[in-house]
PDB file of all heavy atoms in Angstrom:
ATOM      1  N   LYS G 373       1.586  -0.381 -12.135  1.00 98.00           N
ATOM      2  CA  LYS G 373       2.055   1.010 -12.043  1.00 98.00           C
ATOM      3  C   LYS G 373       0.875   1.984 -12.036  1.00 98.00           C
ATOM      4  O   LYS G 373       0.826   2.908 -11.229  1.00 98.00           O
ATOM      5  CB  LYS G 373       3.009   1.333 -13.201  1.00 98.00           C
ATOM      6  CG  LYS G 373       3.706   2.669 -13.033  1.00 98.00           C
ATOM      7  CD  LYS G 373       4.593   3.039 -14.206  1.00 98.00           C
ATOM      8  CE  LYS G 373       5.916   2.314 -14.184  1.00 98.00           C
ATOM      9  NZ  LYS G 373       6.950   3.005 -14.997  1.00 98.00           N
ATOM     10  N   ARG G 465       5.483  17.010 -19.532  1.00 96.00           N
ATOM     11  CA  ARG G 465       5.784  15.592 -19.715  1.00 96.00           C
ATOM     12  C   ARG G 465       7.289  15.324 -19.641  1.00 96.00           C
ATOM     13  O   ARG G 465       7.718  14.309 -19.109  1.00 96.00           O
ATOM     14  CB  ARG G 465       5.207  15.085 -21.054  1.00 96.00           C
ATOM     15  CG  ARG G 465       5.512  13.628 -21.356  1.00 96.00           C
ATOM     16  CD  ARG G 465       4.917  12.691 -20.303  1.00 96.00           C
ATOM     17  NE  ARG G 465       5.334  11.296 -20.464  1.00 96.00           N
ATOM     18  CZ  ARG G 465       6.428  10.771 -19.925  1.00 96.00           C
ATOM     19  NH1 ARG G 465       7.256  11.522 -19.208  1.00 96.00           N
ATOM     20  NH2 ARG G 465       6.704   9.489 -20.094  1.00 96.00           N
ATOM     21  N   THR G 469       8.787  12.510 -15.124  1.00 97.00           N
ATOM     22  CA  THR G 469       9.333  11.326 -14.445  1.00 97.00           C
ATOM     23  C   THR G 469      10.377  11.731 -13.410  1.00 97.00           C
ATOM     24  O   THR G 469      10.325  11.300 -12.254  1.00 97.00           O
ATOM     25  CB  THR G 469       9.897  10.327 -15.467  1.00 97.00           C
ATOM     26  OG1 THR G 469       8.894  10.061 -16.445  1.00 97.00           O
ATOM     27  CG2 THR G 469      10.285   9.027 -14.799  1.00 97.00           C
ATOM     28  N   GLN G 496      22.925   7.525 -11.038  1.00 98.00           N
ATOM     29  CA  GLN G 496      23.374   6.795 -12.227  1.00 98.00           C
ATOM     30  C   GLN G 496      22.542   7.222 -13.423  1.00 98.00           C
ATOM     31  O   GLN G 496      21.313   7.150 -13.397  1.00 98.00           O
ATOM     32  CB  GLN G 496      23.254   5.285 -12.044  1.00 98.00           C
ATOM     33  CG  GLN G 496      23.936   4.557 -13.207  1.00 98.00           C
ATOM     34  CD  GLN G 496      23.727   3.065 -13.206  1.00 98.00           C
ATOM     35  OE1 GLN G 496      22.666   2.575 -12.835  1.00 98.00           O
ATOM     36  NE2 GLN G 496      24.730   2.319 -13.637  1.00 98.00           N
ATOM     37  N   GLY G 497      23.216   7.659 -14.482  1.00 97.00           N
ATOM     38  CA  GLY G 497      22.511   8.131 -15.681  1.00 97.00           C
ATOM     39  C   GLY G 497      22.489   9.644 -15.712  1.00 97.00           C
ATOM     40  O   GLY G 497      22.527  10.302 -14.661  1.00 97.00           O
ATOM     41  N   PHE G 498      22.486  10.200 -16.929  1.00 97.00           N
ATOM     42  CA  PHE G 498      22.357  11.648 -17.060  1.00 97.00           C
ATOM     43  C   PHE G 498      21.462  11.952 -18.254  1.00 97.00           C
ATOM     44  O   PHE G 498      21.754  12.768 -19.102  1.00 97.00           O
ATOM     45  CB  PHE G 498      23.738  12.316 -17.200  1.00 97.00           C
ATOM     46  CG  PHE G 498      23.703  13.791 -16.938  1.00 97.00           C
ATOM     47  CD1 PHE G 498      23.287  14.285 -15.706  1.00 97.00           C
ATOM     48  CD2 PHE G 498      24.049  14.700 -17.928  1.00 97.00           C
ATOM     49  CE1 PHE G 498      23.227  15.657 -15.469  1.00 97.00           C
ATOM     50  CE2 PHE G 498      23.991  16.075 -17.702  1.00 97.00           C
ATOM     51  CZ  PHE G 498      23.579  16.546 -16.469  1.00 97.00           C
ATOM     52  N   GLY G 499      20.330  11.239 -18.301  1.00 95.00           N
ATOM     53  CA  GLY G 499      19.372  11.427 -19.387  1.00 95.00           C
ATOM     54  C   GLY G 499      18.143  12.167 -18.896  1.00 95.00           C
ATOM     55  O   GLY G 499      18.219  12.979 -17.967  1.00 95.00           O
ATOM     56  N   ASN G 500      17.003  11.869 -19.500  1.00 94.00           N
ATOM     57  CA  ASN G 500      15.774  12.595 -19.187  1.00 94.00           C
ATOM     58  C   ASN G 500      15.405  12.499 -17.705  1.00 94.00           C
ATOM     59  O   ASN G 500      15.200  13.516 -17.028  1.00 94.00           O
ATOM     60  CB  ASN G 500      14.630  12.078 -20.071  1.00 94.00           C
ATOM     61  CG  ASN G 500      13.289  12.638 -19.664  1.00 94.00           C
ATOM     62  OD1 ASN G 500      12.514  11.969 -18.998  1.00 94.00           O
ATOM     63  ND2 ASN G 500      13.011  13.878 -20.020  1.00 94.00           N
ATOM     64  N   VAL G 501      15.318  11.282 -17.194  1.00 96.00           N
ATOM     65  CA  VAL G 501      14.865  11.104 -15.808  1.00 96.00           C
ATOM     66  C   VAL G 501      15.863  11.744 -14.856  1.00 96.00           C
ATOM     67  O   VAL G 501      15.504  12.535 -13.968  1.00 96.00           O
ATOM     68  CB  VAL G 501      14.696   9.596 -15.475  1.00 96.00           C
ATOM     69  CG1 VAL G 501      14.278   9.419 -14.030  1.00 96.00           C
ATOM     70  CG2 VAL G 501      13.679   8.946 -16.412  1.00 96.00           C
ATOM     71  N   SER G 502      17.116  11.416 -15.053  1.00 97.00           N
ATOM     72  CA  SER G 502      18.152  11.870 -14.139  1.00 97.00           C
ATOM     73  C   SER G 502      18.283  13.402 -14.115  1.00 97.00           C
ATOM     74  O   SER G 502      18.322  14.014 -13.046  1.00 97.00           O
ATOM     75  CB  SER G 502      19.468  11.229 -14.579  1.00 97.00           C
ATOM     76  OG  SER G 502      20.538  11.905 -14.033  1.00 97.00           O
ATOM     77  N   SER G 520      26.712   9.496 -13.311  1.00 98.00           N
ATOM     78  CA  SER G 520      27.449   8.630 -14.231  1.00 98.00           C
ATOM     79  C   SER G 520      26.705   8.574 -15.555  1.00 98.00           C
ATOM     80  O   SER G 520      25.519   8.931 -15.630  1.00 98.00           O
ATOM     81  CB  SER G 520      27.589   7.228 -13.644  1.00 98.00           C
ATOM     82  OG  SER G 520      26.354   6.566 -13.698  1.00 98.00           O
ATOM     83  N   CYS G 521      27.400   8.144 -16.596  1.00 96.00           N
ATOM     84  CA  CYS G 521      26.740   7.996 -17.899  1.00 96.00           C
ATOM     85  C   CYS G 521      27.534   7.045 -18.769  1.00 96.00           C
ATOM     86  O   CYS G 521      28.644   6.637 -18.411  1.00 96.00           O
ATOM     87  CB  CYS G 521      26.599   9.352 -18.595  1.00 96.00           C
ATOM     88  SG  CYS G 521      28.162  10.017 -19.113  1.00 96.00           S
ATOM     89  N   TRP G 522      26.950   6.695 -19.888  1.00 95.00           N
ATOM     90  CA  TRP G 522      27.582   5.795 -20.856  1.00 95.00           C
ATOM     91  C   TRP G 522      28.427   6.618 -21.802  1.00 95.00           C
ATOM     92  O   TRP G 522      28.004   7.695 -22.240  1.00 95.00           O
ATOM     93  CB  TRP G 522      26.504   5.035 -21.622  1.00 95.00           C
ATOM     94  CG  TRP G 522      27.040   4.046 -22.600  1.00 95.00           C
ATOM     95  CD1 TRP G 522      27.047   4.162 -23.953  1.00 95.00           C
ATOM     96  CD2 TRP G 522      27.637   2.789 -22.295  1.00 95.00           C
ATOM     97  NE1 TRP G 522      27.623   3.045 -24.515  1.00 95.00           N
ATOM     98  CE2 TRP G 522      27.994   2.179 -23.515  1.00 95.00           C
ATOM     99  CE3 TRP G 522      27.917   2.109 -21.100  1.00 95.00           C
ATOM    100  CZ2 TRP G 522      28.614   0.930 -23.589  1.00 95.00           C
ATOM    101  CZ3 TRP G 522      28.527   0.864 -21.165  1.00 95.00           C
ATOM    102  CH2 TRP G 522      28.872   0.291 -22.403  1.00 95.00           C
ATOM    103  N   ASP G 523      29.634   6.146 -22.106  1.00 94.00           N
ATOM    104  CA  ASP G 523      30.497   6.842 -23.051  1.00 94.00           C
ATOM    105  C   ASP G 523      30.522   6.064 -24.372  1.00 94.00           C
ATOM    106  O   ASP G 523      31.048   4.953 -24.445  1.00 94.00           O
ATOM    107  CB  ASP G 523      31.917   6.945 -22.468  1.00 94.00           C
ATOM    108  CG  ASP G 523      32.792   7.863 -23.299  1.00 94.00           C
ATOM    109  OD1 ASP G 523      33.172   7.458 -24.436  1.00 94.00           O
ATOM    110  OD2 ASP G 523      33.092   8.974 -22.850  1.00 94.00           O
ATOM    111  N   SER G 529      31.140   2.976 -19.133  1.00 97.00           N
ATOM    112  CA  SER G 529      30.523   4.092 -18.408  1.00 97.00           C
ATOM    113  C   SER G 529      31.553   4.766 -17.504  1.00 97.00           C
ATOM    114  O   SER G 529      32.571   4.154 -17.145  1.00 97.00           O
ATOM    115  CB  SER G 529      29.340   3.584 -17.585  1.00 97.00           C
ATOM    116  OG  SER G 529      29.747   2.538 -16.740  1.00 97.00           O
ATOM    117  N   TYR G 530      31.298   6.017 -17.170  1.00 98.00           N
ATOM    118  CA  TYR G 530      32.158   6.781 -16.260  1.00 98.00           C
ATOM    119  C   TYR G 530      31.293   7.486 -15.233  1.00 98.00           C
ATOM    120  O   TYR G 530      30.116   7.762 -15.483  1.00 98.00           O
ATOM    121  CB  TYR G 530      32.958   7.847 -17.022  1.00 98.00           C
ATOM    122  CG  TYR G 530      34.001   7.275 -17.961  1.00 98.00           C
ATOM    123  CD1 TYR G 530      33.807   7.306 -19.344  1.00 98.00           C
ATOM    124  CD2 TYR G 530      35.180   6.707 -17.468  1.00 98.00           C
ATOM    125  CE1 TYR G 530      34.753   6.768 -20.204  1.00 98.00           C
ATOM    126  CE2 TYR G 530      36.126   6.172 -18.331  1.00 98.00           C
ATOM    127  CZ  TYR G 530      35.910   6.207 -19.692  1.00 98.00           C
ATOM    128  OH  TYR G 530      36.843   5.667 -20.534  1.00 98.00           O
ATOM    129  N   ARG G 549      22.930  14.427 -26.931  1.00 88.00           N
ATOM    130  CA  ARG G 549      21.489  14.198 -26.799  1.00 88.00           C
ATOM    131  C   ARG G 549      21.156  12.808 -26.275  1.00 88.00           C
ATOM    132  O   ARG G 549      20.016  12.528 -25.921  1.00 88.00           O
ATOM    133  CB  ARG G 549      20.761  14.503 -28.111  1.00 88.00           C
ATOM    134  CG  ARG G 549      21.089  13.579 -29.231  1.00 88.00           C
ATOM    135  CD  ARG G 549      20.597  14.127 -30.558  1.00 88.00           C
ATOM    136  NE  ARG G 549      21.118  13.339 -31.647  1.00 88.00           N
ATOM    137  CZ  ARG G 549      20.502  12.288 -32.174  1.00 88.00           C
ATOM    138  NH1 ARG G 549      19.312  11.929 -31.731  1.00 88.00           N
ATOM    139  NH2 ARG G 549      21.042  11.607 -33.150  1.00 88.00           N
ATOM    140  N   PHE G 550      22.150  11.927 -26.186  1.00 87.00           N
ATOM    141  CA  PHE G 550      21.910  10.601 -25.604  1.00 87.00           C
ATOM    142  C   PHE G 550      22.271  10.557 -24.118  1.00 87.00           C
ATOM    143  O   PHE G 550      22.255   9.505 -23.496  1.00 87.00           O
ATOM    144  CB  PHE G 550      22.710   9.526 -26.352  1.00 87.00           C
ATOM    145  CG  PHE G 550      22.421   9.512 -27.823  1.00 87.00           C
ATOM    146  CD1 PHE G 550      23.338   9.969 -28.742  1.00 87.00           C
ATOM    147  CD2 PHE G 550      21.186   9.052 -28.276  1.00 87.00           C
ATOM    148  CE1 PHE G 550      23.053   9.976 -30.101  1.00 87.00           C
ATOM    149  CE2 PHE G 550      20.892   9.050 -29.633  1.00 87.00           C
ATOM    150  CZ  PHE G 550      21.831   9.514 -30.545  1.00 87.00           C
ATOM    151  N   GLY G 551      22.632  11.710 -23.548  1.00 92.00           N
ATOM    152  CA  GLY G 551      22.976  11.735 -22.119  1.00 92.00           C
ATOM    153  C   GLY G 551      24.410  11.336 -21.843  1.00 92.00           C
ATOM    154  O   GLY G 551      24.726  10.872 -20.750  1.00 92.00           O
ATOM    155  N   GLY G 552      25.293  11.513 -22.814  1.00 94.00           N
ATOM    156  CA  GLY G 552      26.724  11.219 -22.625  1.00 94.00           C
ATOM    157  C   GLY G 552      27.489  12.510 -22.349  1.00 94.00           C
ATOM    158  O   GLY G 552      27.386  13.482 -23.095  1.00 94.00           O
ATOM    159  N   GLY G 568      32.870   3.762 -14.105  1.00 97.00           N
ATOM    160  CA  GLY G 568      31.408   3.796 -14.168  1.00 97.00           C
ATOM    161  C   GLY G 568      30.713   3.364 -12.903  1.00 97.00           C
ATOM    162  O   GLY G 568      29.701   3.939 -12.503  1.00 97.00           O
ATOM    163  N   ALA G 582      19.125   5.842 -12.252  1.00 97.00           N
ATOM    164  CA  ALA G 582      18.196   6.379 -13.251  1.00 97.00           C
ATOM    165  C   ALA G 582      18.738   6.149 -14.651  1.00 97.00           C
ATOM    166  O   ALA G 582      18.650   7.013 -15.521  1.00 97.00           O
ATOM    167  CB  ALA G 582      17.944   7.869 -12.996  1.00 97.00           C
ATOM    168  N   ALA G 583      19.344   4.967 -14.872  1.00 95.00           N
ATOM    169  CA  ALA G 583      19.893   4.682 -16.204  1.00 95.00           C
ATOM    170  C   ALA G 583      19.225   3.470 -16.824  1.00 95.00           C
ATOM    171  O   ALA G 583      18.516   3.578 -17.818  1.00 95.00           O
ATOM    172  CB  ALA G 583      21.399   4.463 -16.119  1.00 95.00           C
ATOM    173  N   LEU G 584      19.456   2.287 -16.235  1.00 91.00           N
ATOM    174  CA  LEU G 584      18.887   1.083 -16.827  1.00 91.00           C
ATOM    175  C   LEU G 584      18.737  -0.030 -15.795  1.00 91.00           C
ATOM    176  O   LEU G 584      19.080   0.162 -14.622  1.00 91.00           O
ATOM    177  CB  LEU G 584      19.659   0.644 -18.074  1.00 91.00           C
ATOM    178  CG  LEU G 584      21.107   0.215 -18.020  1.00 91.00           C
ATOM    179  CD1 LEU G 584      21.534  -0.260 -19.412  1.00 91.00           C
ATOM    180  CD2 LEU G 584      22.024   1.321 -17.609  1.00 91.00           C
ATOM    181  N   GLU G 585      18.226  -1.175 -16.239  1.00 89.00           N
ATOM    182  CA  GLU G 585      17.931  -2.280 -15.325  1.00 89.00           C
ATOM    183  C   GLU G 585      19.197  -3.030 -14.928  1.00 89.00           C
ATOM    184  O   GLU G 585      20.235  -2.865 -15.554  1.00 89.00           O
ATOM    185  CB  GLU G 585      16.908  -3.236 -15.967  1.00 89.00           C
ATOM    186  CG  GLU G 585      17.369  -3.995 -17.194  1.00 89.00           C
ATOM    187  CD  GLU G 585      17.465  -3.147 -18.462  1.00 89.00           C
ATOM    188  OE1 GLU G 585      16.899  -2.042 -18.503  1.00 89.00           O
ATOM    189  OE2 GLU G 585      18.153  -3.575 -19.399  1.00 89.00           O
ATOM    190  N   GLN G 587      21.415  -3.001 -12.292  1.00 96.00           N
ATOM    191  CA  GLN G 587      22.618  -2.238 -11.969  1.00 96.00           C
ATOM    192  C   GLN G 587      23.105  -2.463 -10.545  1.00 96.00           C
ATOM    193  O   GLN G 587      24.296  -2.446 -10.279  1.00 96.00           O
ATOM    194  CB  GLN G 587      22.378  -0.737 -12.210  1.00 96.00           C
ATOM    195  CG  GLN G 587      22.125  -0.423 -13.655  1.00 96.00           C
ATOM    196  CD  GLN G 587      23.266  -0.894 -14.527  1.00 96.00           C
ATOM    197  OE1 GLN G 587      24.406  -0.473 -14.380  1.00 96.00           O
ATOM    198  NE2 GLN G 587      22.984  -1.825 -15.425  1.00 96.00           N
ATOM    199  N   GLY G 606      14.688   5.518 -10.170  1.00 97.00           N
ATOM    200  CA  GLY G 606      14.157   6.224 -11.339  1.00 97.00           C
ATOM    201  C   GLY G 606      14.030   5.296 -12.537  1.00 97.00           C
ATOM    202  O   GLY G 606      13.077   5.345 -13.301  1.00 97.00           O
ATOM    203  N   ALA G 607      15.020   4.403 -12.690  1.00 95.00           N
ATOM    204  CA  ALA G 607      15.000   3.437 -13.795  1.00 95.00           C
ATOM    205  C   ALA G 607      14.031   2.307 -13.477  1.00 95.00           C
ATOM    206  O   ALA G 607      13.623   2.134 -12.327  1.00 95.00           O
ATOM    207  CB  ALA G 607      16.404   2.873 -14.003  1.00 95.00           C
ATOM    208  N   ASN G 608      13.683   1.537 -14.489  1.00 90.00           N
ATOM    209  CA  ASN G 608      12.889   0.333 -14.280  1.00 90.00           C
ATOM    210  C   ASN G 608      13.818  -0.831 -13.972  1.00 90.00           C
ATOM    211  O   ASN G 608      14.773  -1.068 -14.721  1.00 90.00           O
ATOM    212  CB  ASN G 608      12.080  -0.001 -15.540  1.00 90.00           C
ATOM    213  CG  ASN G 608      10.925   0.959 -15.718  1.00 90.00           C
ATOM    214  OD1 ASN G 608      10.242   1.313 -14.764  1.00 90.00           O
ATOM    215  ND2 ASN G 608      10.700   1.395 -16.954  1.00 90.00           N
ATOM    216  N   ASN G 633       8.969   6.064 -10.372  1.00 96.00           N
ATOM    217  CA  ASN G 633       8.978   6.641 -11.723  1.00 96.00           C
ATOM    218  C   ASN G 633       7.585   6.720 -12.368  1.00 96.00           C
ATOM    219  O   ASN G 633       7.456   6.912 -13.574  1.00 96.00           O
ATOM    220  CB  ASN G 633      10.016   5.958 -12.627  1.00 96.00           C
ATOM    221  CG  ASN G 633       9.671   4.515 -12.978  1.00 96.00           C
ATOM    222  OD1 ASN G 633       8.498   4.162 -13.111  1.00 96.00           O
ATOM    223  ND2 ASN G 633      10.687   3.694 -13.145  1.00 96.00           N
ATOM    224  N   GLY G 636       5.808   9.684 -15.006  1.00 97.00           N
ATOM    225  CA  GLY G 636       5.685   9.680 -16.464  1.00 97.00           C
ATOM    226  C   GLY G 636       4.301   9.252 -16.902  1.00 97.00           C
ATOM    227  O   GLY G 636       3.619   9.957 -17.658  1.00 97.00           O
TER     228      GLY G 636
HETATM  229  P1  NAD Q1295      17.763   8.363 -21.426  1.00 82.15           P
HETATM  230  O1  NAD Q1295      18.077   7.568 -22.621  1.00 82.15           O
HETATM  231  O2  NAD Q1295      17.297   9.762 -21.555  1.00 82.15           O
HETATM  232  O3  NAD Q1295      19.068   8.417 -20.464  1.00 82.15           O
HETATM  233  C1  NAD Q1295      19.757   7.273 -20.078  1.00 82.15           C
HETATM  234  C2  NAD Q1295      21.058   7.704 -19.383  1.00 82.15           C
HETATM  235  O4  NAD Q1295      21.683   6.539 -18.838  1.00 82.15           O
HETATM  236  C3  NAD Q1295      22.077   8.362 -20.300  1.00 82.15           C
HETATM  237  O5  NAD Q1295      22.727   9.414 -19.614  1.00 82.15           O
HETATM  238  C4  NAD Q1295      23.084   7.235 -20.555  1.00 82.15           C
HETATM  239  O6  NAD Q1295      24.394   7.718 -20.823  1.00 82.15           O
HETATM  240  C5  NAD Q1295      23.041   6.539 -19.209  1.00 82.15           C
HETATM  241  N1  NAD Q1295      23.564   5.170 -19.224  1.00 82.15           N
HETATM  242  C6  NAD Q1295      23.342   4.176 -20.126  1.00 82.15           C
HETATM  243  N2  NAD Q1295      24.033   3.081 -19.779  1.00 82.15           N
HETATM  244  C7  NAD Q1295      24.692   3.377 -18.643  1.00 82.15           C
HETATM  245  C8  NAD Q1295      25.579   2.675 -17.785  1.00 82.15           C
HETATM  246  N3  NAD Q1295      25.912   1.406 -18.026  1.00 82.15           N
HETATM  247  N4  NAD Q1295      26.068   3.315 -16.694  1.00 82.15           N
HETATM  248  C9  NAD Q1295      25.750   4.586 -16.426  1.00 82.15           C
HETATM  249  N5  NAD Q1295      24.909   5.309 -17.194  1.00 82.15           N
HETATM  250  C10 NAD Q1295      24.393   4.716 -18.282  1.00 82.15           C
HETATM  251  O7  NAD Q1295      16.713   7.468 -20.596  1.00 82.15           O
HETATM  252  P2  NAD Q1295      15.617   7.967 -19.563  1.00 82.15           P
HETATM  253  O8  NAD Q1295      14.377   8.314 -20.292  1.00 82.15           O
HETATM  254  O9  NAD Q1295      16.210   8.937 -18.612  1.00 82.15           O
HETATM  255  O10 NAD Q1295      15.296   6.586 -18.813  1.00 82.15           O
HETATM  256  C11 NAD Q1295      16.141   6.057 -17.800  1.00 82.15           C
HETATM  257  C12 NAD Q1295      15.442   4.904 -17.102  1.00 82.15           C
HETATM  258  O11 NAD Q1295      14.200   5.344 -16.563  1.00 82.15           O
HETATM  259  C13 NAD Q1295      15.081   3.683 -17.965  1.00 82.15           C
HETATM  260  O12 NAD Q1295      15.165   2.525 -17.152  1.00 82.15           O
HETATM  261  C14 NAD Q1295      13.629   3.939 -18.329  1.00 82.15           C
HETATM  262  O13 NAD Q1295      12.944   2.739 -18.631  1.00 82.15           O
HETATM  263  C15 NAD Q1295      13.136   4.525 -17.036  1.00 82.15           C
HETATM  264  N6  NAD Q1295      11.900   5.317 -17.165  1.00 82.15           N
HETATM  265  C16 NAD Q1295      11.868   6.424 -17.946  1.00 82.15           C
HETATM  266  C17 NAD Q1295      10.704   7.168 -18.033  1.00 82.15           C
HETATM  267  C18 NAD Q1295      10.640   8.435 -18.842  1.00 82.15           C
HETATM  268  O14 NAD Q1295       9.589   9.081 -18.810  1.00 82.15           O
HETATM  269  N7  NAD Q1295      11.695   8.844 -19.517  1.00 82.15           N
HETATM  270  C19 NAD Q1295       9.556   6.758 -17.334  1.00 82.15           C
HETATM  271  C20 NAD Q1295       9.620   5.623 -16.526  1.00 82.15           C
HETATM  272  C21 NAD Q1295      10.812   4.922 -16.444  1.00 82.15           C
END
Side-chain angles (χ1 to χ4, degrees):
K373 190 183 282 201
R465 178 61 187 88
T469 308
Q496 189 187 36
F498 197 60
N500 172 259
V501 178
S502 162
S520 73
C521 69
W522 182 253
D523 190 288
S529 55
Y530 292 107
R549 67 193 170 91
F550 304 108
L584 63 176
E585 66 286 344
Q587 296 303 300
N608 287 318
N633 69 33

